[in-house]
């Protein structure tokens, strides 16, 4: 009788333990959540990190010389450079190369390098931030962050030749590296007004001949013969070419 009572008591304890314990899957999930929280917790404050761990792991990637473009930021011989000019060429049996002008991000010094198109380079990724163009004062331009309305003043040189396209309320993008503004870019298509145009010579040839027109921003582009003074046209800011009537 005592043996039977002891066995019943032991079975009751085991049943109670099973009823009050989470299943193995729940234990595994809880352990995973606790581990993830600990991994994302800032040791200095004890609070959860603002960005996922994986977002901070990739700071650069390999790229080929043939992929180098204006505005790219690369690391070379321990220095960080921005590409400000590039020119592809082919030198007989030597293969295709690209000649680039680089600006040292830290010192501002410029150097000229030549890469093979199949040469592996270390690219550094920058942060793109949108801004609204406000006005120009001397050699600087004033921009506004659209969400916080904070103003940022940068050198007009950041936009290079495309600084001519800047106009009130234009949406632009500024590239940052390590908290510093490296370059600025304008939209790929901009509407401009023709202020001067060559006369339209009719009947000279069956093939339409493009003519030079002066835009309100001071730039001269080639446009079809039917474009007249006062018209608005869409211009590509990539190569300063006529695209269509606005």
């Amino acid at each position: 009788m005592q043996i039977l009572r002891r066995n019943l008591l032991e079975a009751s304890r085991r049943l109670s333990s099973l009823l009050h314990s989470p299943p193995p899957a729940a234990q595994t999930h809880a352990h995973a959540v606790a581990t993830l929280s600990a991994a994302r917790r800032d040791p200095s404050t004890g609070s959860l990190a603002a960005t996922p761990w994986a977002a901070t792991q990739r700071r650069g990637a390999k790229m080929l010389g043939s992929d180098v473009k204006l505005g790219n930021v690369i690391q070379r011989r321990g220095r960080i450079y921005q590409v400000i000019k590039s020119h592809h060429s082919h030198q007989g049996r030597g293969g295709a190369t690209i000649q680039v002008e680089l600006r040292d991000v830290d010192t501002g010094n410029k150097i000229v390098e030549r890469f093979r198109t199949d040469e592996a380079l270390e690219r550094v990724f920058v942060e793109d931030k949108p801004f609204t163009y406000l006005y120009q004062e001397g050699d600087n331009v004033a921009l506004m962050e659209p969400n916080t309305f904070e103003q940022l003043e940068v050198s007009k040189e950041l936009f290079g030749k495309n600084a001519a396209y800047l106009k009130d309320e234009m949406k632009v993008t500024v590239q940052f590296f390590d908290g510093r503004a490296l370059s600025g870019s304008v939209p790929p298509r901009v509407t401009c007004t023709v202020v001067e145009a060559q006369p339209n010579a009719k009947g000279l040839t069956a093939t339409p001949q493009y003519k030079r027109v002066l835009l309100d921003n001071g730039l001269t582009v080639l446009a079809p013969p039917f474009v007249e003074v006062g018209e608005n046209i869409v211009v590509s800011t990539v190569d300063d070419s006529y695209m269509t009537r606005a």
Side-chain angles (χ1 to χ4, degrees), residues 11-86:
S12 177
R13 289 176 177 173
R14 291 179 179 177
L15 180 60
S16 177
S17 177
L18 290 174
L19 291 176
H20 290 83
S21 298
Q27 292 178 351
T28 302
H29 176 73
H31 177 71
V33 171
T35 302
L36 178 60
S37 297
R40 295 184 56 198
R41 194 171 297 277
D42 187 336
S44 61
T45 63
S47 60
L48 292 181
T51 55
W53 172 84
T56 62
Q57 299 310 299
R58 191 181 180 201
R59 300 186 59 84
K62 295 293 184 182
M63 67 184 300
L64 295 178
S66 57
D67 297 326
V68 171
K69 295 180 177 60
L70 186 69
N72 286 161
V73 180
I74 64 174
Q75 181 172 339
R76 189 164 177 81
R77 294 189 291 270
R79 307 291 300 179
I80 303 296
Y81 296 96
Q82 183 181 27
V83 179
I84 56 178
K85 288 183 182 179
S86 64

Side-chain angles (χ1 to χ4, degrees), residues 26-243:
Q27 292 178 351
T28 302
H29 176 73
H31 177 71
V33 171
T35 302
L36 178 60
S37 297
R40 295 184 56 198
R41 194 171 297 277
D42 187 336
S44 61
T45 63
S47 60
L48 292 181
T51 55
W53 172 84
T56 62
Q57 299 310 299
R58 191 181 180 201
R59 300 186 59 84
K62 295 293 184 182
M63 67 184 300
L64 295 178
S66 57
D67 297 326
V68 171
K69 295 180 177 60
L70 186 69
N72 286 161
V73 180
I74 64 174
Q75 181 172 339
R76 189 164 177 81
R77 294 189 291 270
R79 307 291 300 179
I80 303 296
Y81 296 96
Q82 183 181 27
V83 179
I84 56 178
K85 288 183 182 179
S86 64
H87 176 70
H88 288 264
S89 61
H90 193 283
Q91 298 182 343
R93 297 182 180 180
T97 62
I98 176 172
Q99 180 174 303
V100 296
E101 185 174 342
L102 305 173
R103 179 174 62 87
D104 191 306
V105 170
D106 292 319
T107 65
N109 295 333
K110 298 177 182 179
I111 62 172
V112 175
E113 294 272 5
R114 189 182 297 274
F115 306 134
R116 301 188 315 275
T117 54
D118 60 351
E119 184 175 348
L121 303 171
E122 187 77 20
R123 182 178 178 183
V124 177
F125 288 95
V126 297
E127 180 184 9
D128 290 342
K129 288 186 178 182
F131 286 89
T132 301
Y133 172 79
L134 297 179
Y135 58 87
Q136 177 178 333
E137 186 172 327
D139 293 331
N140 295 328
V141 296
L143 310 174
M144 182 181 69
E145 209 284 333
N147 296 321
T148 64
F149 302 106
E150 293 183 1
Q151 292 191 19
L152 173 69
E153 189 174 282
V154 299
S155 172
K156 186 175 66 174
E157 291 185 355
L158 264 63
F159 292 90
K161 70 175 185 63
N162 285 339
Y165 290 104
L166 292 171
K167 57 177 59 179
D168 294 348
E169 303 300 319
M170 175 180 281
K171 306 301 181 184
V172 301
T173 303
V174 177
Q175 290 75 40
F176 289 85
F177 172 72
D178 199 21
R180 289 172 292 178
L182 290 185
S183 62
S185 56
V186 300
R189 298 160 55 102
V190 173
T191 300
C192 302
T193 303
V194 177
V195 295
E196 289 184 18
Q198 294 176 336
N200 184 11
K202 298 181 179 179
L204 294 182
T205 175
T207 304
Q209 299 295 313
Y210 276 60
K211 63 181 182 181
R212 295 186 180 276
V213 298
L214 178 65
L215 306 179
D216 55 347
N217 57 13
L219 295 179
T220 300
V221 301
L222 294 176
F226 54 77
V227 174
E228 302 294 344
V229 173
E231 287 193 78
N232 292 327
I233 62 174
V234 178
V235 178
S236 167
T237 60
V238 177
D239 56 6
D240 305 322
S241 63
Y242 168 88
M243 300 185 73

